[in-house]
Amino acid sequence: MPGHTHHDIDWADRLAQLRMADALDAEALTPVARRLLATVAEQPTVVDVGSGAGGMSVLFARELARAGGGTVVLVDATPELLAEAQRAVAEAAGDAVEVVGRRADLADPGLAGQVPAADLVWAAGVVHHLGDQQAALRTLAGLLRPRGVLAISEGGLDLRCLPWELGVGRPGLEQRLLAARGEWFARMRAELDGSVAMPYGWPRALREAGLEGVESFGALIDHPAPGSDRLREYVLQRIGWLAESVGEWLAADDREAVAALTDPRSPDFLGHRDDLFLFGAKEIHCGRLR
């Protein structure tokens, strides 16, 4: 797609991980969907930009079906993700909710012409992939009907899932993985086409985009040990993915530890543990078009 913004991340290859994350986040994000829909008109049009595997829009569709209906518009640049999202959301929506798919990207100059005007625009973990984040927020705000609401999920507390000591390598492996991920993120931002610094927080950025009544709130992700099989599989994929994406910033002994932790033949394999967990928080920022 023109202007594709995902910095060489193979999102289709990550579909299974995205599905698991959606399932694990659903309990925490259901109240978020309900809260946001309570701020807009009945039978609204909801546009999910960067819909991924469709997890949040499944929650929007369920809430809309209970409240009398509406429309969910899924927007993603990756065909495999868009197809999965349409399938999952249509299954949740029933007959009362219309589900529409649009293959497009937030960086597309003509995005506003490809989707209907929205009462609620949702974008989770998308804006930070654009070089000019402030301009991206203005684009999202431009999709709204008068008095419509834009909500983004950006920032929060990084997920933690591993004990401090694992019996292999040095203690604190997860903390070093997350620190390396921060280095990766800084370089990713610097190398994006048209990268522009945004030296202020998301609430101010939403106000700069023309929104009022801006507020922020959190959604706690809390799955204590012992976790489910799904959680263990998600942790395995997450740790492997983190290590792969930040390998050049990791010391050799940390790379060796990750290899042992993710190898089913290893006595240190994470899949054999009963002390894995998920704990973190998503931050949601929203405001209304003047």
Side-chain angles (χ1 to χ4, degrees), residues 150-201:
L150 169 61
I152 64 170
S153 177
E154 294 282 356
L157 300 176
D158 284 325
L159 280 176
R160 302 298 179 96
C161 55
L162 300 180
W164 171 254
E165 288 196 59
L166 295 161
V168 59
R170 289 175 288 146
L173 172 64
E174 186 172 30
Q175 283 75 3
R176 292 191 295 280
L177 283 170
L178 292 174
R181 183 70 176 171
E183 295 293 331
W184 173 90
F185 184 84
R187 188 176 75 175
M188 182 274 287
R189 288 284 318 150
E191 292 179 351
L192 285 172
D193 291 341
S195 183
V196 176
M198 194 181 79
Y200 45 83

Side-chain angles (χ1 to χ4, degrees), residues 38-62:
T39 66
V40 298
E42 292 183 356
Q43 297 190 325
T45 295
V46 179
V47 176
D48 184 351
V49 179
S51 51
M56 191 63 180
S57 277
V58 165
L59 305 181
F60 285 135
R62 287 175 180 163

Side-chain angles (χ1 to χ4, degrees), residues 76-120:
D76 207 281
T78 304
E80 296 87 346
L81 296 187
L82 187 58
E84 170 60 17
Q86 286 184 269
R87 181 204 63 75
V89 178
E91 184 178 292
D95 296 331
V97 180
E98 181 182 7
V99 180
V100 179
R102 291 286 184 268
R103 188 181 175 201
D105 193 284
L106 180 52
D108 292 349
L111 178 61
Q114 299 179 60
V115 300
D119 299 290
L120 172 62

Side-chain angles (χ1 to χ4, degrees), residues 85-279:
Q86 286 184 269
R87 181 204 63 75
V89 178
E91 184 178 292
D95 296 331
V97 180
E98 181 182 7
V99 180
V100 179
R102 291 286 184 268
R103 188 181 175 201
D105 193 284
L106 180 52
D108 292 349
L111 178 61
Q114 299 179 60
V115 300
D119 299 290
L120 172 62
V121 171
W122 170 262
V126 175
V127 176
H128 68 249
H129 286 287
L130 277 290
D132 190 337
Q133 298 171 106
Q134 186 65 71
L137 289 175
R138 293 192 183 99
T139 297
L140 290 170
L143 304 179
L144 293 169
R145 291 182 173 132
R147 306 301 296 164
V149 171
L150 169 61
I152 64 170
S153 177
E154 294 282 356
L157 300 176
D158 284 325
L159 280 176
R160 302 298 179 96
C161 55
L162 300 180
W164 171 254
E165 288 196 59
L166 295 161
V168 59
R170 289 175 288 146
L173 172 64
E174 186 172 30
Q175 283 75 3
R176 292 191 295 280
L177 283 170
L178 292 174
R181 183 70 176 171
E183 295 293 331
W184 173 90
F185 184 84
R187 188 176 75 175
M188 182 274 287
R189 288 284 318 150
E191 292 179 351
L192 285 172
D193 291 341
S195 183
V196 176
M198 194 181 79
Y200 45 83
W202 295 107
R204 176 178 165 185
L206 289 178
R207 290 191 290 269
E208 294 283 340
L211 303 181
E212 62 184 12
V214 173
E215 62 174 340
S216 301
F217 59 95
L220 184 67
I221 310 299
D222 184 12
H223 296 278
S228 64
D229 290 343
R230 173 184 284 154
L231 185 147
R232 281 190 290 275
E233 180 60 26
Y234 177 75
V235 169
L236 272 167
Q237 292 205 22
R238 174 175 169 78
I239 295 302
W241 170 69
L242 277 173
E244 181 180 357
S245 62
V246 304
E248 65 187 277
W249 284 283
L250 287 183
D253 63 331
D254 281 340
R255 292 196 296 271
E256 291 171 3
V258 169
L261 292 168
T262 56
D263 182 355
R265 300 163 297 181
S266 167
D268 301 302
F269 181 51
L270 288 174
H272 296 153
R273 302 185 71 108
D274 63 0
D275 56 357
L276 304 180
F277 59 94
L278 280 181
F279 187 83

